[in-house]
Amino acid sequence: MSAIEKMNDADGIAGDAPTAPIEAGGMTVPRWLQALVPIAMLVLLLVVWQAYVTIANVPHYILPSPVRIWQAFVEDHEMLLHSLVITLQTTFLALAIALVTGVALAILMAQSRWIELALFPYAVILQVTPIVAIAPLILIYTSTTNQALLICAWIVAFFPVLSNTSQGLHSTDHNLLNLFELYRASRWQTLWLLRLPNALPYFLAGLRIAGGLALIAAVVAEFAAGTPGADAGLAFRLIEAQHRLNIPRLFAALVLLSVTGVAIFAATSLLSHLLLRRWHESAVRREN
Amino acid sequence: MNTAIQSTEMPRRPDVRSGQPLVSLRGVSKVFSNGTLALKDMSLDVGRGEFVSLLGPSGCGKSTALRIIAGLGEPTSGTIEWPADAARDASGNPDREIGFVFQEPTLMPWATVAANVWLPLRLKGVSRRAANERIAETLRMVGLESFANAYPRELSGGMKMRVSIARALITEPKLLLMDEPFAALDEITRFRLNNDLLHLWEKFGWTVIFVTHSVFESVYLSERIVVMAARPGRVFRDMKVDAPYPREEEFRTSVVYNENCRRVSDTLHEAMGAHPH
């Protein structure tokens, strides 16, 4: 067909942008430097810390040096890692339940305005009530501490998933909805092929928040409801170390917790990037 | 229609001018929920194979009329009539065999070009494997065969609109409804898409109802222009464009084109000055 040349319109195809260096104050920062700067900063911080503790002769029960913290970790790593696994079990199980229930409820609420009106206020109430305040009550109602911890962490992680997914399901392009109607798509087809894919970026943003919150909530719940013993979580180790004035171990537990939080955030961000990189603006590198 | 231009290799316009209209509006009115009378007593016959433009200022109900024809929203009063021999769907409603092109490309950003074009067939239960050949063929029609695996965001505005047109065409509709499809495009791209649309129409002979607010676009494309007036939205005048097809770029600068533009433009101004009694 001569009429339609294989033309690409004026601005043509955008193509995959190469890894573009970021701009910083008018200068372009090469990629290797982007990775190096935070690491150098961390090393500098540790060196200064170590030097200060050594020179000023700060006692380790006030502020342990980085080396001392490392030693504490090596010494107690079995106990600490075991506690970390306990806390992570609560975190991930609660997160998994939050994802399933959050998405399910969001879908349910998207089906009918009535259901949404009836249920959404309770989700909000659950969210805004401080978890430490509900924890004692939950402890009374559950038969094991683990269940109580799980419920606490679930309550906190559940809301961002619900509210983001709900927002995503509602913000479907009206013309696309018209198009589906025009082709007589079933409710199920519209949900599966249009509303859910459209809600994916929103859901993933919710997941990133929920991942971090689940860990925080698990730790807070352990503080509020956790019990000592062989299967105590990381929060209990923190309190225990504080009571025993074992400040290096307290620091070690704290660092472990932070690293875990960062790792969860990194993992959910990576998942989000992998799922959205082909099509969503948030994951697409901008090139001007 | 100039019969002399019927080319040899094209299976041209099989059911053109069989006398019976493809779709008829009978006294169609539409009142929005806020009380606005968007469309008042509109009657219109669109013949098979016709290229009709609905031309008018914003608020004249041209898009509303198009949506009602598409079955998106019921008219408040009046009826839409389809020929008695139209295929029926499972629930007994006329299977309207419509393709609709919106003002925006309205593509699913998470799906590739091919998957977007597949959508209408997919909703009818046709598997990707079974649809592949038709997807490729339809993309070839709009000149995008090499972009099947691209994502919408990688395409320019004109290319996205081509995908949107391909999606409307893949079901081989009898009636193509276009709601200001090229309004957001630059002039060069718009002209090119105008030409391509005309060539496809001449080749396949669907019926086209084309909504636009451009006098020049409507005269270039259509056989017939329905000029509409606003407040309330209604048909003001039904005009013929007396110029043979095929119309190519030279037509844009021809005397006939200019005369028609002036005539339609005058009518449009009249419509915009006219108030109902």
Side-chain angles (χ1 to χ4, degrees):
Chain A
M1 187 176 308
S2 67
I4 297 150
E5 313 90 337
K6 271 191 259 170
M7 42 119 306
N8 313 337
D9 296 334
D11 45 336
I13 190 156
D16 278 349
T19 51
I22 58 164
E23 296 257 332
M27 295 184 316
T28 48
V29 182
R31 216 163 162 68
W32 61 271
L33 210 56
Q34 285 180 46
L36 194 67
V37 169
I39 294 172
M41 188 64 206
L42 179 70
V43 171
L44 183 71
L45 198 75
L46 290 175
V47 167
V48 170
W49 182 351
Q50 182 73 40
Y52 168 71
V53 170
T54 311
I55 293 164
N57 213 3
V58 183
H60 65 78
Y61 52 82
I62 302 292
L63 179 69
S65 69
V67 171
R68 187 71 196 249
I69 295 169
W70 175 249
Q71 282 168 350
F73 174 73
V74 171
E75 220 167 276
D76 299 328
H77 74 272
E78 242 169 79
M79 179 186 73
L80 287 173
L81 290 180
H82 180 68
S83 291
L84 176 67
V85 169
I86 302 288
T87 303
L88 282 182
Q89 277 171 356
T90 311
T91 304
F92 285 124
L93 195 53
L95 184 61
I97 299 172
L99 292 184
V100 173
T101 51
V103 170
L105 194 59
I107 291 173
L108 190 67
M109 292 197 320
Q111 299 307 306
S112 144
R113 184 95 188 109
W114 294 107
I115 300 176
E116 188 179 2
L117 281 172
L119 295 184
F120 199 71
Y122 296 96
V124 175
I125 291 170
L126 220 52
Q127 162 70 9
V128 297
T129 314
I131 194 67
V132 263
I134 322 176
L137 205 58
I138 295 173
L139 259 182
I140 295 173
Y141 295 143
T142 50
S143 48
T144 70
T145 314
N146 270 348
Q147 281 175 15
L149 298 181
L150 207 56
I151 290 173
C152 287
W154 166 75
I155 287 174
V156 174
F158 161 77
F159 190 76
V161 177
L162 169 68
S163 98
N164 277 38
T165 309
S166 198
Q167 175 83 13
L169 290 172
H170 280 301
S171 59
T172 312
D173 183 87
H174 285 200
N175 278 335
L176 274 172
L177 285 171
N178 281 337
L179 190 80
F180 273 65
E181 191 190 331
L182 195 79
Y183 288 117
R184 312 245 166 100
S186 67
R187 221 179 163 82
W188 168 251
Q189 284 175 323
T190 309
L191 177 69
W192 186 247
L193 298 177
L194 179 58
R195 285 188 186 272
L196 282 178
N198 186 72
L200 184 65
Y202 297 82
F203 163 79
L204 289 168
L207 171 65
R208 269 164 37 165
I209 302 168
L213 279 183
L215 178 66
I216 293 172
V219 171
V220 170
E222 280 173 13
F223 269 118
T227 48
D231 282 338
L234 215 47
F236 175 75
R237 295 297 166 210
L238 277 169
I239 302 173
E240 187 190 50
Q242 182 210 6
H243 286 325
R244 295 181 183 176
L245 273 187
N246 190 343
I247 306 304
R249 193 204 283 171
L250 192 154
F251 265 91
L254 206 53
V255 170
L256 207 53
L257 216 48
S258 310
V259 169
T260 307
V262 170
I264 290 175
F265 182 78
T268 49
S269 298
L270 180 69
L271 179 71
S272 171
H273 177 78
L274 290 177
L275 287 174
L276 301 182
R277 72 199 154 112
R278 293 302 303 269
W279 65 273
H280 198 255
E281 296 300 331
S282 70
V284 170
R285 204 178 283 278
R286 206 156 62 96
E287 193 180 25
N288 289 326
Chain B
M1 176 91 354
N2 189 338
T3 48
I5 58 146
Q6 290 201 1
S7 73
T8 45
E9 87 277 20
M10 288 178 178
R12 216 180 122 78
R13 335 202 65 197
D15 53 359
V16 67
R17 301 290 180 277
S18 59
Q20 195 188 21
L22 180 72
V23 58
S24 303
L25 283 72
R26 293 271 171 271
V28 168
S29 296
K30 176 76 180 181
V31 183
F32 286 143
S33 53
N34 63 9
T36 311
L37 180 55
L39 201 59
K40 189 187 170 209
D41 196 26
M42 179 172 181
S43 291
L44 184 72
D45 286 327
V46 177
R48 296 184 189 220
E50 254 191 319
F51 198 124
V52 182
S53 284
L54 305 183
L55 172 72
S58 43
C60 72
K62 53 194 193 299
S63 290
T64 308
L66 201 67
R67 279 161 190 268
I68 289 175
I69 295 170
L72 297 170
E74 293 292 311
T76 313
S77 62
T79 53
I80 313 287
E81 285 168 16
W82 300 88
D85 62 335
R88 304 272 152 170
D89 68 8
S91 48
N93 296 313
D95 189 358
R96 291 160 304 193
E97 301 179 63
I98 284 172
F100 200 106
V101 180
F102 296 89
Q103 182 171 351
E104 285 88 38
T106 313
L107 304 175
M108 300 180 292
W110 55 83
T112 59
V113 165
N116 266 292
V117 174
W118 173 37
L119 179 75
L121 295 181
R122 189 181 192 183
L123 293 174
K124 286 183 177 171
V126 181
S127 74
R128 177 68 182 263
R129 186 191 290 270
N132 256 338
E133 208 165 304
R134 266 168 84 183
I135 295 170
E137 192 184 315
T138 314
L139 283 176
R140 208 158 33 240
M141 269 163 58
V142 298
L144 285 180
E145 60 270 44
S146 51
F147 292 98
N149 294 318
Y151 282 79
R153 53 158 285 269
E154 298 168 327
L155 306 180
S156 68
M159 293 162 86
K160 282 183 201 161
M161 197 41 88
R162 285 170 187 274
V163 178
S164 191
I165 293 171
R167 180 181 59 196
L169 295 182
I170 197 165
T171 56
E172 297 172 358
K174 286 205 175 112
L175 177 59
L176 187 60
L177 304 174
M178 307 183 88
D179 189 1
E180 302 192 38
F182 310 139
L185 301 176
D186 63 89
E187 197 173 74
I188 297 169
T189 309
R190 185 162 66 238
F191 283 3
R192 194 144 48 186
L193 282 166
N194 282 165
N195 291 341
D196 293 348
L197 177 64
L198 272 190
H199 286 117
L200 289 170
W201 170 70
E202 282 171 38
K203 180 172 178 190
F204 293 98
W206 346 279
T207 308
V208 182
I209 305 181
F210 190 98
V211 164
T212 179
H213 54 237
S214 162
V215 169
F216 304 103
E217 192 174 43
S218 65
V219 172
Y220 187 73
L221 293 173
S222 6
E223 300 177 281
R224 192 178 145 203
I225 299 173
V226 177
V227 178
M228 297 180 72
R231 278 173 293 279
R234 63 200 188 278
V235 172
F236 183 75
R237 198 164 297 162
D238 203 328
M239 310 175 76
K240 279 235 165 304
V241 178
D242 267 326
Y245 295 90
R247 297 172 183 170
E248 303 289 351
E249 268 314 305
E250 308 86 71
F251 179 57
R252 282 193 194 280
T253 48
S254 70
V255 177
V256 186
Y257 177 67
N258 272 309
E259 278 170 357
N260 273 294
C261 284
R262 186 177 309 134
R263 197 163 54 88
V264 173
S265 186
D266 287 346
T267 311
L268 182 62
H269 279 117
E270 223 180 295
M272 288 164 75
H275 290 287
H277 306 291

